[in-house]
Amino acid sequence: PADSSGTGAAWLYARSGDVWTQQGSKLVGKGAVGNAGQGGSVALSADGNTAIVGGAGDSSGAGAAWVHSRSGDVWSQQGSKLAGSGAIGHARQGGSVALSADGNTAIVGGLGDNGVNGAAWVHTRSGGVWTRTPVQELQY
């Protein structure tokens, strides 16, 4: 998260036998605003072809996540950054991230939403396009 004065980044490695080799250049999502802190949280799909990188500091603490996909040995950002609507205050979206095994569903946590109540946003991918999935809010 501290790479490039707080912009942040993530690095991917592939293993062949007992040797790990960096795959491509570091991942830095486009569209970051300010000290995004990309790389504060990361997740990888089961097949290793989709990565999500959280940056809770993006946009002065609103936060976001970036999805990257692999074709061969080349990684590229897929779509725009993921930032869910309805956040209250400095949500810090991207403080935690997870991907489904097939890489087509992402959940992005925001521990700072609505004070310290926190929230999570679900995004789904279809045809290479990510959209936020409406989820009914749970109240306790």
Side-chain angles (χ1 to χ4, degrees):
D3 187 60
S4 294
S5 300
T7 298
W11 289 260
L12 288 136
Y13 294 84
R15 185 177 72 181
S16 178
D18 292 336
V19 178
W20 288 90
T21 305
Q22 184 175 332
Q23 193 169 56
S25 57
K26 65 183 179 182
L27 301 181
V28 180
K30 297 176 183 82
V33 178
N35 295 332
Q38 294 179 53
S41 61
V42 296
L44 194 62
S45 63
D47 66 5
N49 290 323
T50 304
I52 186 168
V53 179
D58 187 63
S59 295
S60 299
W66 290 261
V67 178
H68 303 268
S69 60
R70 177 174 66 172
S71 178
D73 289 341
V74 178
W75 286 88
S76 56
Q77 184 175 329
Q78 190 171 50
S80 302
K81 66 184 178 183
L82 303 179
S85 61
I88 300 171
H90 299 292
R92 301 194 51 79
Q93 292 180 53
S96 59
V97 295
L99 280 174
S100 61
D102 65 5
N104 289 323
T105 303
I107 188 164
V108 178
L111 60 106
D113 186 65
N114 196 15
V116 292
N117 291 318
W121 291 261
V122 176
H123 304 266
T124 55
R125 175 173 62 181
S126 178
V129 176
W130 286 91
T131 56
R132 191 175 67 82
T133 304
V135 178
Q136 184 173 346
E137 181 179 341
L138 298 175
Q139 297 180 352
Y140 297 97

